[in-house]
Amino acid sequence: MRDRNGNGQNPKVMESASYTEEYGSGTEDLDGNYLSLIQTGQTCIGAPVYFFFELGSDRLLNKSQLVNLDEVARIAKKYGLTVKVIGAADSATGNEAINDNLSRSRADFIASELLKRGMESETIIKGYDGGIDDYSPNEANRHTRIMLYFRQN
């Protein structure tokens, strides 16, 4: 993991009515400061959860990934967490406009699935990266990642 955003880049867009994005300086001492950072909502809790998609679509590669959404929604509701959902597409296919739309569509799909599982819309933050080339093979870049945060007061 290159950073707390999960891919080494800040997302192109974040959509939320009630959340202020706080990334911190990136120089925090994770051994001594990690708990205080996650408690303030400035860094994600644990590692992101990834959902992978078919080429050129917002269809999951495998429907069995939905069981992970069930658990994310259960935990987020139980502990009052905010869920950040960031879609991505692989930059090896499509152009910038297509990849931007596709990554947004993937984030929208995952967010809508979380809503179906009883999450409230104000606890979901959506963003997108557009086309990325961070991972090899290219298929690994066709994802949406979810990160959990304590809510900021």
Side-chain angles (χ1 to χ4, degrees), residues 10-136:
N10 285 334
K12 290 185 178 183
V13 171
M14 279 296 176
E15 299 170 0
S16 173
S18 62
Y19 185 83
T20 301
E21 187 62 31
E22 297 276 341
Y23 290 113
S25 67
T27 60
E28 298 84 9
D29 173 12
L30 292 181
D31 291 332
N33 227 0
Y34 179 68
L35 288 178
S36 63
L37 286 172
I38 64 170
Q39 289 171 342
T40 62
Q42 293 183 23
T43 194
C44 73
I45 302 166
V49 179
Y50 285 79
F51 297 86
F52 297 95
F53 292 84
E54 294 178 11
L55 175 65
S57 80
D58 61 2
R59 288 185 309 273
L60 292 172
L61 272 176
N62 188 324
K63 294 266 185 199
S64 68
Q65 295 180 87
L66 293 175
V67 75
N68 292 331
L69 279 173
D70 295 339
E71 192 62 10
V72 166
R74 185 188 71 77
I75 290 169
K77 290 187 301 185
K78 181 176 181 177
Y79 295 103
L81 303 176
T82 296
V83 178
K84 188 182 300 184
V85 177
I86 302 175
D90 78 87
S91 62
T93 58
N95 59 38
E96 185 175 349
I98 289 170
N99 287 335
D100 285 351
N101 287 332
L102 187 55
S103 64
R104 185 184 311 253
S105 178
R106 289 172 176 169
D108 288 345
F109 170 78
I110 294 295
S112 71
E113 289 295 319
L114 290 170
L115 290 170
K116 289 177 188 176
R117 287 159 174 78
M119 292 204 56
E120 297 178 16
S121 61
E122 61 271 5
T123 65
I124 300 171
I125 300 157
K126 294 186 296 183
Y128 69 100
D129 285 336
I132 62 171
D133 63 359
D134 295 343
Y135 306 107
S136 183

